[in-house]
Amino acid sequence: MLETRSQEHLSRHLVSFESALLDCRAKMLEHSGPDVKFVNKYCPSSSSSSSASSSSSSSAREMKILATLRGSLSRKYPQKNGEVLSAQYGINLLLVGLALMLALAYQGPTVTEETVLAFLTTLMLMQVLWMICYVARLERKRNEPPERDADAATSWIRGGLTLLALLSLITDAFRVGNFVGYQECVSPILGVYPVIHALHTVSQVHFLWFHVKDVIKRYETFERFGVIHAVFTNLLVWSNGVMTEAEHALNDHKRRLSAVGYFNFTVGEGNQPNCNCTTSACSMFSSGLYYLCPFNIEYHILVSVLLFVMWKNVGRTLERRTNQKPASSAPLLTGSGDGPFLLLGSALGLLALASAITVLVIYIIHVEESLEARHAAISMFYWFGIIILACMSVAGAVGLVIYRLEDWPMDTAPNPARTLDSKLLLGSSIGSWLVCWCSVIAVGGATNSPTYRWANLGYAILLVLEKCVQNLFVVESLYRRRREPEERPALCTTHNSILNPSQGNEKIFAVYDGIINHGYESPDKHCENEKQTYGGNNGNVSHSLGHGMPETPNRQKQVLKNIAIFLFMCNISLWILPAFGCRPQFDNGLEEASFGFPIWSTVLNFALPMSLFYRMHSVAVLFEVFRKI
Amino acid sequence: MLETRSQEHLSRHLVSFESALLDCRAKMLEHSGPDVKFVNKYCPSSSSSSSASSSSSSSAREMKILATLRGSLSRKYPQKNGEVLSAQYGINLLLVGLALMLALAYQGPTVTEETVLAFLTTLMLMQVLWMICYVARLERKRNEPPERDADAATSWIRGGLTLLALLSLITDAFRVGNFVGYQECVSPILGVYPVIHALHTVSQVHFLWFHVKDVIKRYETFERFGVIHAVFTNLLVWSNGVMTEAEHALNDHKRRLSAVGYFNFTVGEGNQPNCNCTTSACSMFSSGLYYLCPFNIEYHILVSVLLFVMWKNVGRTLERRTNQKPASSAPLLTGSGDGPFLLLGSALGLLALASAITVLVIYIIHVEESLEARHAAISMFYWFGIIILACMSVAGAVGLVIYRLEDWPMDTAPNPARTLDSKLLLGSSIGSWLVCWCSVIAVGGATNSPTYRWANLGYAILLVLEKCVQNLFVVESLYRRRREPEERPALCTTHNSILNPSQGNEKIFAVYDGIINHGYESPDKHCENEKQTYGGNNGNVSHSLGHGMPETPNRQKQVLKNIAIFLFMCNISLWILPAFGCRPQFDNGLEEASFGFPIWSTVLNFALPMSLFYRMHSVAVLFEVFRKI
């Protein structure tokens, strides 16, 4: 009796499903006119469901629906094609820019700074045009807002971005000021570029605030080109900034060598214009630009990453679950029981930050004084590095042990932002790992033995270890499911007890139902996952499911939160040091003796930007981890 | 009445499914003893099915099975962890090797060639040990052979690999011969290295023939380290070969410059030992090594790629469908209707190959003669390149148009080998694209105008275009589903007509039935996919499904096969030219004037190996495309 009822329920469900699809098709036709392909895309089974009325048995219908849904799942190829095409466009754009910059680096007759700036200005203008088109098209279709990917860029990431953008705007103002001072003898493009850059920054931040989460499904191929153009434009502006920074580093290096008597260097050599400044603020602008440049660089690489996620999202079919806003977590540092525990992590982190700034100031002053002071400064840097890296490694290892002790459930829903985050962490570690192994080899084979020789070795090995542990910790945290202790037990008992056979059947269809009823899948899957993990060794199922959350996990959660905030602060510290001129790899001379200046400076020019990006990216990801735990 | 019967059928099916699972669990327990985790992995629902006997309703049971299957699908995290850990090990291994090679390149006091060779020898011995362990463990468990990924490395890829390995062994023999000649004044490691390398080559080829398709599920983490160690060992030996080649190229460049009077160069400068050869064959060995080196390089990079696919497969849950051997395609060049058509493609391809070898010989002779002969040789190279690249672009474009005209079904089943193939193609294009854009900039800004100036520009632009078109063609071909015209219509009509309601229900369960009955899914999905694509605009469904395959697609298939074989031959030609010393980028002087020798030779040393790899990889992939169409 029960079974016949369930079968009836099943066919009722199918009929309602089909009518929903027909509705959907009709609605789409109203909006998109004769674009049949478009309709077929959004209502994949409409063509088969309209012909299904001729066949009367419910099983033939369910077959059709199943098949069409399967078809819609495997309809990925056109996307592949568009991806390859636009990726090739983007890569070639980047390579043209890189080729121009390489020619500029040689300071040969072919390419001058004006060429590169004109190229970048053109690209930025094209991007602004595309953004205007995009927003205008969205405005026209205001009644059908695009789907949004909740994971794409959290509001605090966009907040941080806005901060960096503000500093970037100040940089532009300084550049304009500098241009006004030297107006007589420099090309007008040096004045046009910062103005366009400011315009670009403002419109881009606006675009990112309101559209970076959009999942583009209309004019896919065109928009894909637009987005990839934006990604690579920002990457090129980043490369340009990195080149400027490399020049700064080289000039610093020369000045310091000349200060301790190795080398004859006149201040202002190289990139100064050939006339006198007509205003009094030029030197202020120059030194301001020196300190603001790192922020400008981070701004562009961060934007590239966000836009790349947007590109990966073009044409993506979103599961409803990933589209839900996650429950807001406890406010920062104000939870009742959180207070004392979080204080520990943030106090240690602030201590690390303060010491890093102290080390930076002492280093910059002492490294230009005398040979002894120079060696002492370098030693100090390495010992500071050893202490902070050891603490960070221990913190990360403790976090990993906690994860091993308690097998929390994991989350494997598709999430381009998270995949990219973990790949970028791993990828950008390569730069500083290469530097570390070079240091190890240099220390091993060094003929002279300065005081900091073995400290350098320890620092290099600890840096490799620290990045390995931190990567593991971050990836593990990102792939853990966010837990809501008060919610879970209720959900699971509900599903286990009150389900009757007809609901069981409905559930089977709910899974196929990839277009309309995604909501179905989520709570049950969540519950079953937890059951599987918590009850790994058969007996514990009832224990861990039945009685809410015990005390322990809450304490472990506290420890993890502390670790995250501590690592967050430490990564800021380790970003500040190289970003503002504390680069002992240039100054210690050991590696230069083993690799020669040309090879070693090439390695550093490749590795330091990656290392800076790694720290900044870790900061962003660790903050997310902190909020998630 | 029908519906009740179908419901009965459904519960019968469930009961047999559960008993199969219980059997599976019992069998596993026999083999693995108390390792419960292992059993749960292979029989994911065993723990829940044993407790299910207490609950009597069939719907509760089906719920459990569904849930556990879902759970087993989302059990991915430990894999993520192992992946990150082993990837970090592999990357650091590579970086240590690279750091050693950079130090060697400087020819400073720290690192000598012996250090690098000793390092590589150790790595190779470790890999051999691991392979022995792996094979021995498999032998002990001979009754449970691992699953195999049919897509991983086709037999002809392994055949090609064996050929390269044989040439590699000859290289080793030459190296040993060289060592015997100079025995008195060189380090013994120069004799040990080729012997170990030969041992490594033989055991590795054996391993690849019999185990590269294995999907490792036992001791996952340990094996993952073993495989990644093998990947990066081969990558390091490749890097070492590339460095040797770069040295060859530099010496060629110097010798040619000195031959036309720019430069004073004594033959044998640099890497010759300090004593006289005691045998008469040393110069033969040296020049033999010069010509065999490219094959050795390709061998190692190819092995890396194959092993990387094996690494991606560790712990992967294979769908039964991907595990089936694809139907063998028509034998090469012998199909009855194929003859005349395939002759065209292969004739044109052979023509390209023959002309490439002619160009190579003329180039190498003329480029050292006089300044005029040198310029004529370079011009000849560029004009040959323009013609062949134009033909290739047109061929690729025709292929793309054919794909656009007839929407063949696509295949989106997970396939790490294919994903890697397309990413590698795109990634390795970057090298020569960078060279091209540098050439464009250099030509644009050149102050002197040799005869080949504009030919260089055309060649560079056509090379960018050709790689774009070829990438699109290859990716599109790889993601197309293999078609079997005789099979398809029969299958589809069967499924559409004789299915009755009870079979419909069975099918629903067959999909969930991810462990035992995968076979179910394949033919139906195939059929429905084709229906969807062929009948894109609603009316054509009956036309394209009803009456077998018309003439046209067969002719189009012929054209595509011709295109594939033509591109295959052209890519071989374009590999031969740079691999054996035809590198006008070094000789034409235009780029060197714009970028300076240090930057330009760095760019070439980075880009040329990538470009060679691109051509070799295209050859492999195009052969696969040819067999697939």
Side-chain angles (χ1 to χ4, degrees):
Chain A
M1 188 58 200
L2 258 174
E3 285 164 6
T4 326
R5 254 182 53 206
S6 98
Q7 191 73 20
E8 272 168 30
H9 189 103
L10 186 153
S11 34
R12 259 210 315 279
H13 182 82
L14 269 171
V15 169
S16 71
F17 176 40
E18 278 210 346
S19 68
L21 274 172
L22 285 169
D23 277 4
C24 159
R25 183 187 158 83
K27 213 174 276 174
M28 287 286 179
L29 273 172
E30 267 173 42
H31 288 295
S32 64
D35 189 351
V36 179
K37 214 165 166 189
F38 177 78
V39 174
N40 283 338
K41 189 151 194 185
Y42 282 83
C43 309
S45 59
S46 52
S47 61
S48 45
S49 68
S50 61
S51 66
S53 51
S54 62
S55 131
S56 60
S57 86
S58 77
S59 129
R61 259 187 250 154
E62 91 202 17
M63 275 287 304
K64 282 231 165 89
I65 293 166
L66 275 181
T68 326
L69 285 175
R70 269 194 226 138
S72 81
L73 285 175
S74 63
R75 193 211 318 109
K76 226 181 168 178
Y77 182 62
Q79 176 161 352
K80 195 84 209 160
N81 210 357
E83 271 177 22
V84 173
L85 205 60
S86 57
Q88 293 194 138
Y89 165 72
I91 291 172
N92 279 296
L93 204 63
L94 179 70
L95 292 176
V96 173
L98 283 185
L100 283 173
M101 286 173 203
L102 284 176
L104 176 63
Y106 173 57
Q107 303 185 314
T110 321
V111 174
T112 56
E113 203 184 346
E114 285 78 44
T115 328
V116 175
L117 291 184
F119 179 68
L120 293 178
T121 309
T122 318
L123 292 186
M124 287 193 291
L125 280 176
M126 279 166 75
Q127 187 192 335
V128 170
L129 269 180
W130 170 75
M131 290 191 293
I132 291 171
C133 285
Y134 179 83
V135 174
R137 254 203 314 276
L138 272 195
E139 279 297 308
R140 260 190 303 163
K141 300 251 177 188
R142 193 191 278 243
N143 48 345
E144 306 165 46
E147 284 184 86
R148 296 169 77 79
D149 175 9
D151 301 313
T154 43
S155 55
W156 62 266
I157 276 244
R158 284 174 290 169
L161 191 79
T162 314
L163 212 73
L164 288 174
L166 281 177
L167 292 168
S168 218
L169 286 177
I170 298 175
T171 316
D172 287 329
F174 279 25
R175 282 210 195 103
V176 171
N178 217 2
F179 168 73
V180 169
Y182 291 111
Q183 209 171 355
E184 287 162 18
C185 61
V186 295
S187 155
I189 189 77
L190 287 176
V192 173
Y193 175 76
V195 173
I196 300 291
H197 186 264
L199 171 73
H200 176 258
T201 304
V202 170
S203 52
Q204 184 163 263
V205 168
H206 176 271
F207 180 82
L208 288 174
W209 265 102
F210 297 104
H211 301 290
V212 75
K213 285 166 178 283
D214 290 3
V215 175
I216 296 170
K217 301 233 177 177
R218 218 172 285 162
Y219 314 109
E220 277 186 25
T221 309
F222 178 73
E223 304 293 23
R224 204 174 258 128
F225 271 90
V227 180
I228 205 80
H229 178 89
V231 170
F232 282 96
T233 301
N234 279 286
L235 216 53
L236 272 173
V237 180
W238 173 77
S239 310
N240 192 39
V242 163
M243 236 182 69
T244 315
E245 272 291 282
E247 219 171 274
H248 286 167
L250 192 68
N251 284 340
D252 277 0
H253 180 60
K254 284 185 189 162
R255 205 189 48 243
R256 286 169 189 176
L257 281 184
S258 84
V260 293
Y262 278 124
F263 191 80
N264 200 7
F265 181 77
T266 50
V267 182
E269 197 180 88
N271 55 350
Q272 289 295 317
N274 292 325
C275 55
N276 287 327
C277 182
T278 53
T279 63
S280 56
C282 281
S283 66
M284 190 272 273
F285 286 144
S286 294
S287 53
L289 283 174
Y290 177 88
Y291 288 106
L292 284 170
C293 195
F295 297 108
N296 186 24
I297 290 176
E298 296 306 325
Y299 162 72
H300 284 291
I301 190 86
L302 189 55
V303 171
S304 295
V305 172
L306 294 184
L307 287 169
F308 186 76
V309 172
M310 191 180 177
W311 180 72
K312 288 294 270 185
N313 274 335
V314 175
R316 181 178 162 211
T317 311
L318 226 55
E319 279 180 56
R320 193 53 49 97
R321 193 159 53 84
T322 58
N323 211 10
Q324 289 165 348
K325 268 236 158 173
S328 64
S329 63
L332 216 70
L333 295 170
T334 57
S336 60
D338 291 13
F341 276 116
L342 275 193
L343 269 179
L344 184 70
S346 30
L348 284 176
L350 283 174
L351 182 67
L353 191 62
S355 3
I357 293 172
T358 318
V359 167
L360 174 70
V361 173
I362 297 178
Y363 184 90
I364 287 179
I365 295 170
H366 280 242
V367 83
E368 293 183 22
E369 256 176 20
S370 66
L371 210 60
E372 286 81 53
R374 187 185 171 85
H375 283 194
I378 295 174
S379 290
M380 178 196 63
F381 174 87
Y382 282 127
W383 285 110
F384 170 74
I386 287 175
I387 293 167
I388 196 171
L389 289 174
C391 294
M392 289 168 79
S393 306
V394 170
V398 170
L400 285 175
V401 169
I402 290 178
Y403 281 132
R404 287 285 81 70
L405 285 180
E406 210 207 340
D407 264 334
W408 282 3
M410 57 271 170
D411 176 12
T412 51
N415 181 343
R418 180 174 56 193
T419 312
L420 184 66
D421 276 344
S422 33
K423 279 191 184 163
L424 281 179
L425 268 189
L426 215 62
S428 59
S429 311
I430 290 176
S432 64
W433 280 337
L434 179 60
V435 171
C436 288
W437 291 117
C438 287
S439 296
V440 170
I441 288 168
V443 168
T447 45
N448 62 338
S449 185
T451 47
Y452 46 77
R453 181 176 176 184
W454 301 108
N456 187 359
L457 182 72
Y459 174 81
I461 290 172
L462 270 173
L463 191 54
V464 173
L465 183 73
E466 186 269 325
K467 287 204 174 173
C468 283
V469 173
Q470 180 170 305
N471 289 345
L472 280 173
F473 176 73
V474 167
V475 170
E476 180 132 20
S477 306
L478 286 180
Y479 278 84
R480 292 285 174 181
R481 191 185 284 274
R482 178 196 293 273
R483 69 206 252 141
E484 287 105 334
E486 42 319 306
E487 220 178 296
R488 201 170 40 78
L491 257 175
C492 296
T493 44
T494 311
H495 280 274
N496 280 335
S497 60
I498 63 164
L499 268 174
N500 62 40
S502 73
Q503 276 180 315
N505 256 331
E506 208 173 312
K507 195 155 296 297
I508 294 163
F509 280 93
V511 179
Y512 275 111
D513 197 332
I515 294 165
I516 294 172
N517 287 327
H518 306 263
Y520 259 111
E521 209 180 347
S522 150
D524 190 51
K525 194 173 184 177
H526 181 91
C527 164
E528 291 296 342
N529 261 333
E530 304 217 341
K531 188 200 285 182
Q532 195 203 17
T533 328
Y534 276 84
N537 35 2
N538 283 348
N540 299 0
V541 180
S542 64
H543 159 73
S544 50
L545 277 180
H547 331 285
M549 293 306 300
E551 281 287 286
T552 339
N554 244 333
R555 206 190 305 151
Q556 291 176 346
K557 204 172 107 177
Q558 289 302 321
V559 176
L560 288 175
K561 265 188 179 294
N562 271 299
I563 291 173
I565 197 94
F566 174 68
L567 288 178
F568 171 84
M569 296 283 203
C570 289
N571 276 288
I572 294 182
S573 317
L574 292 179
W575 177 76
I576 287 177
L577 284 169
F580 294 101
C582 188
R583 301 185 184 93
Q585 297 88 351
F586 269 112
D587 299 321
N588 74 29
L590 279 173
E591 289 91 353
E592 218 179 296
S594 293
F595 294 90
F597 186 72
I599 292 181
W600 184 237
S601 64
T602 309
V603 168
L604 285 183
N605 284 335
F606 157 81
L608 276 183
M610 278 175 96
S611 175
L612 285 173
F613 171 68
Y614 176 85
R615 291 296 169 197
M616 209 44 163
H617 191 65
S618 301
V619 167
V621 174
L622 280 165
F623 190 71
E624 200 165 319
V625 167
F626 172 79
R627 289 184 71 245
K628 196 182 169 189
I629 291 167
Chain B
M1 187 58 200
L2 258 174
E3 285 164 6
T4 327
R5 254 182 52 205
S6 97
Q7 191 72 21
E8 272 167 31
H9 188 102
L10 185 155
S11 32
R12 260 210 314 279
H13 182 80
L14 268 173
V15 168
S16 69
F17 176 40
E18 277 211 347
S19 67
L21 275 173
L22 284 169
D23 278 3
C24 159
R25 184 188 156 83
K27 213 175 276 172
M28 286 286 178
L29 273 174
E30 266 172 42
H31 289 295
S32 67
D35 189 352
V36 179
K37 214 167 167 189
F38 178 78
V39 174
N40 282 338
K41 190 156 200 182
Y42 283 82
C43 310
S45 59
S46 54
S47 62
S48 45
S49 67
S50 63
S51 65
S53 52
S54 62
S55 131
S56 59
S57 85
S58 76
S59 126
R61 259 187 251 155
E62 90 201 19
M63 273 288 304
K64 283 232 164 87
I65 293 166
L66 275 182
T68 326
L69 285 174
R70 269 194 226 137
S72 80
L73 284 175
S74 64
R75 194 212 317 110
K76 226 182 170 178
Y77 182 62
Q79 176 161 352
K80 194 83 208 161
N81 210 355
E83 270 177 21
V84 173
L85 205 61
S86 58
Q88 293 193 141
Y89 165 72
I91 291 173
N92 279 297
L93 204 64
L94 179 70
L95 293 176
V96 172
L98 283 186
L100 283 173
M101 286 172 203
L102 284 176
L104 176 63
Y106 174 57
Q107 302 184 315
T110 321
V111 174
T112 57
E113 202 184 348
E114 285 79 44
T115 328
V116 175
L117 290 183
F119 179 68
L120 292 179
T121 309
T122 318
L123 292 186
M124 286 193 293
L125 281 176
M126 280 167 73
Q127 187 192 336
V128 170
L129 269 180
W130 170 74
M131 289 191 294
I132 291 171
C133 285
Y134 178 84
V135 174
R137 253 203 314 276
L138 273 194
E139 279 297 308
R140 262 190 303 164
K141 300 251 177 189
R142 194 190 279 243
N143 48 347
E144 306 163 45
E147 285 184 84
R148 296 169 76 81
D149 174 11
D151 302 313
T154 44
S155 55
W156 62 266
I157 275 246
R158 284 175 290 167
L161 191 77
T162 314
L163 212 73
L164 289 174
L166 281 177
L167 291 168
S168 218
L169 286 177
I170 298 175
T171 317
D172 286 328
F174 279 27
R175 282 210 195 103
V176 171
N178 218 2
F179 168 73
V180 170
Y182 291 111
Q183 209 170 354
E184 286 162 20
C185 61
V186 294
S187 157
I189 189 78
L190 287 176
V192 173
Y193 175 77
V195 173
I196 300 291
H197 187 264
L199 172 73
H200 175 259
T201 304
V202 170
S203 51
Q204 183 163 264
V205 168
H206 176 271
F207 180 83
L208 288 174
W209 265 102
F210 297 104
H211 301 289
V212 74
K213 285 165 178 283
D214 290 2
V215 175
I216 296 170
K217 300 234 178 176
R218 218 172 283 162
Y219 313 109
E220 276 187 26
T221 309
F222 178 74
E223 305 293 22
R224 203 175 260 129
F225 272 89
V227 180
I228 205 79
H229 177 88
V231 170
F232 281 96
T233 301
N234 279 286
L235 216 53
L236 272 173
V237 180
W238 173 77
S239 310
N240 192 39
V242 163
M243 235 183 69
T244 315
E245 272 292 282
E247 218 172 275
H248 286 168
L250 192 67
N251 284 339
D252 278 2
H253 180 59
K254 284 184 188 162
R255 205 188 49 243
R256 285 167 189 175
L257 280 185
S258 84
V260 293
Y262 278 125
F263 191 78
N264 201 7
F265 180 75
T266 50
V267 181
E269 198 179 272
N271 54 349
Q272 288 295 316
N274 293 324
C275 56
N276 287 328
C277 183
T278 54
T279 63
S280 56
C282 280
S283 66
M284 189 271 274
F285 286 144
S286 293
S287 55
L289 283 174
Y290 177 88
Y291 288 105
L292 283 171
C293 196
F295 297 108
N296 187 23
I297 291 175
E298 295 307 326
Y299 163 72
H300 283 291
I301 189 87
L302 190 55
V303 171
S304 295
V305 172
L306 294 184
L307 287 170
F308 185 77
V309 172
M310 191 179 177
W311 180 73
K312 289 294 271 184
N313 273 336
V314 176
R316 182 178 161 210
T317 311
L318 225 58
E319 280 180 57
R320 191 55 47 100
R321 191 160 53 84
T322 58
N323 211 9
Q324 288 164 348
K325 268 234 157 173
S328 63
S329 61
L332 214 70
L333 295 170
T334 57
S336 59
D338 292 11
F341 275 116
L342 274 195
L343 270 180
L344 183 70
S346 30
L348 283 176
L350 283 174
L351 182 68
L353 190 62
S355 5
I357 293 172
T358 318
V359 166
L360 174 69
V361 173
I362 297 177
Y363 184 90
I364 287 179
I365 295 170
H366 280 242
V367 83
E368 293 183 23
E369 257 175 20
S370 66
L371 209 60
E372 286 82 52
R374 187 186 171 84
H375 282 194
I378 295 174
S379 289
M380 178 196 64
F381 174 88
Y382 282 127
W383 284 110
F384 170 73
I386 287 176
I387 293 166
I388 195 170
L389 290 173
C391 293
M392 289 168 78
S393 306
V394 169
V398 169
L400 285 175
V401 168
I402 290 178
Y403 282 132
R404 286 287 80 72
L405 285 180
E406 209 209 339
D407 263 333
W408 282 2
M410 58 271 168
D411 177 11
T412 51
N415 180 344
R418 180 173 56 193
T419 313
L420 184 67
D421 276 344
S422 32
K423 280 191 183 162
L424 281 178
L425 268 189
L426 214 61
S428 59
S429 311
I430 291 175
S432 63
W433 281 337
L434 179 60
V435 171
C436 288
W437 291 117
C438 287
S439 296
V440 170
I441 288 168
V443 169
T447 45
N448 63 336
S449 185
T451 47
Y452 47 78
R453 181 177 177 183
W454 301 109
N456 188 358
L457 182 73
Y459 174 81
I461 289 172
L462 269 174
L463 191 54
V464 173
L465 183 73
E466 186 269 326
K467 288 205 173 174
C468 284
V469 172
Q470 180 169 302
N471 289 345
L472 280 173
F473 176 73
V474 167
V475 170
E476 180 132 21
S477 305
L478 286 180
Y479 278 84
R480 290 286 173 180
R481 190 183 284 274
R482 178 196 293 273
R483 68 206 250 145
E484 286 105 332
E486 30 338 292
E487 220 178 294
R488 200 169 41 78
L491 256 175
C492 295
T493 43
T494 312
H495 279 272
N496 279 335
S497 58
I498 62 163
L499 268 174
N500 60 41
S502 74
Q503 276 179 314
N505 257 331
E506 207 173 313
K507 194 154 296 297
I508 295 164
F509 279 92
V511 179
Y512 275 111
D513 196 329
I515 294 164
I516 294 173
N517 287 327
H518 306 263
Y520 259 111
E521 207 180 351
S522 151
D524 188 53
K525 193 172 184 178
H526 181 92
C527 162
E528 290 297 342
N529 260 334
E530 304 219 340
K531 187 200 285 183
Q532 194 205 16
T533 327
Y534 277 83
N537 36 2
N538 283 347
N540 299 0
V541 180
S542 63
H543 158 74
S544 49
L545 277 180
H547 332 285
M549 295 302 302
E551 280 289 285
T552 343
N554 243 334
R555 205 191 303 150
Q556 290 177 347
K557 202 172 107 177
Q558 288 304 321
V559 176
L560 286 176
K561 264 186 179 294
N562 271 299
I563 291 172
I565 197 93
F566 174 68
L567 288 179
F568 171 84
M569 296 283 202
C570 289
N571 276 288
I572 294 182
S573 317
L574 293 180
W575 177 77
I576 286 178
L577 285 169
F580 294 100
C582 188
R583 301 186 185 92
Q585 298 87 352
F586 269 111
D587 300 320
N588 73 29
L590 278 173
E591 289 92 352
E592 218 178 296
S594 292
F595 294 90
F597 186 71
I599 292 181
W600 184 236
S601 63
T602 308
V603 168
L604 284 182
N605 284 336
F606 156 81
L608 275 183
M610 278 175 96
S611 174
L612 285 173
F613 171 69
Y614 176 85
R615 290 297 169 198
M616 209 45 163
H617 192 66
S618 300
V619 167
V621 173
L622 280 165
F623 191 71
E624 199 164 320
V625 167
F626 172 79
R627 288 185 71 245
K628 196 181 169 190
I629 290 166

